[in-house]
Amino acid sequence: MKNQSRQENIIYLVVWGILFAAPLLSLYIRTVNDTNIMFDWSEVFIVWRKFAVYLVLFLIHNFLLAPLLVHQHRRVLYFSIVTTVMAAFITYQCVTRPDIRKDESMRHIPPPMEQPNQPPPSIDNQPPPLFDNQRPPEFDNHHPHKLHREMPPPVLWERDIMSIVVLILMFGANLGMKLYFRSRKDQKKLLELEKKSLEHQLEYLRYQINPHFFMNTLNNIHALVDIDPAKAQETILELSKMMRFVLYEGDKQGVSLTREFEFIRTYIKLMRLRYSDKVKITIDLPTEAPDKNIPPLMLISFVENAFKHGISYQHESFIDVKVEIEQERLHFLCSNSKADKPNKEKGGVGLTNVKQRLNLLYDNRYTLNIQDTQNVYIVELILPLS
């Protein structure tokens, strides 16, 4: 936030620096182009005095008035004070401007003209006596060269109006700049809140996946204890490796493809122990994966659902898992047969959970195609690799 305030102040400093440097540059160019013109600092000081008035008003508006509207939203107080400031500025303009009423009145005095049949002036330079029917031309309403009466000066001159317009534009530009930096600040806060919300949602989704996965694995071990205790012990060791992966890798934003593929192989190895030869399980994962990351426990959700809904104890069934990596993209394909009576275990992850996680992580940069036919269920997922 302090960085944005510093940027705003630097912009103001540059703009005012250019304005105050402009008279110097202009006078310098004139002296270079015309050797008869001498560099006179008094001309520069005259312009700087005018700029100084606007600078003082700008500082008052920037540090005292604008925050009332932008940060505190006190519109009535802001416009009341701004109106008072502008009225004081108009009064200052009227007091400090030069008196040009005499110059304006002199512009309307016509040049003297010779009058025919004028008697010569007297020797003592006194005006000749007037006849009864003669009046001075300034009192003759029909005289073609009568003098104009001196009109009262207007309240606001043209340059006063231009000064007010400049002041309004300066205040408006100051408000626009503050609103721009305020919007950037609010947008940054919103992005931080969205990021925190995203992290909380992903954490919640991961906690939904982990208990369901361990529940299925523990059920497998329970089934092996009575059938083959040696295999049950081996399975516990494999489960400990998987638990280590979930504990230390599951809370990360991404894990290497090699670790994720190893996790899937171990899971399928444990699941094979539970089913007979009637279930054909095929797995095709790359032995050498590029140094890329993928969100942990993303693919295992589809594999879990395949075992949950695709295994039949009465008929032959199959599960095929295949992964290909092409052009910085991961192509995951999982197909399985459909059981006559799907497993009704509670606690399943479900596609809604998986889709929500994909939307949070990849937005619209992923492709998920699901084909649900009468006998086969196929999931095709394409993810960009980072």
Side-chain angles (χ1 to χ4, degrees), residues 181-196:
F181 280 99
R182 175 63 184 271
S183 64
R184 286 185 56 185
K185 178 180 177 181
D186 294 342
Q187 185 177 10
K188 186 176 181 180
K189 286 184 177 180
L190 181 61
L191 291 176
E192 292 177 355
L193 291 175
E194 290 179 352
K195 183 179 179 181
K196 291 181 180 179

Side-chain angles (χ1 to χ4, degrees), residues 75-93:
R75 296 179 178 85
V76 176
L77 180 60
Y78 169 78
F79 286 108
S80 300
I81 299 178
V82 167
T83 303
T84 304
V85 170
M86 295 184 66
F89 176 74
I90 295 173
T91 304
Y92 171 80
Q93 290 288 104

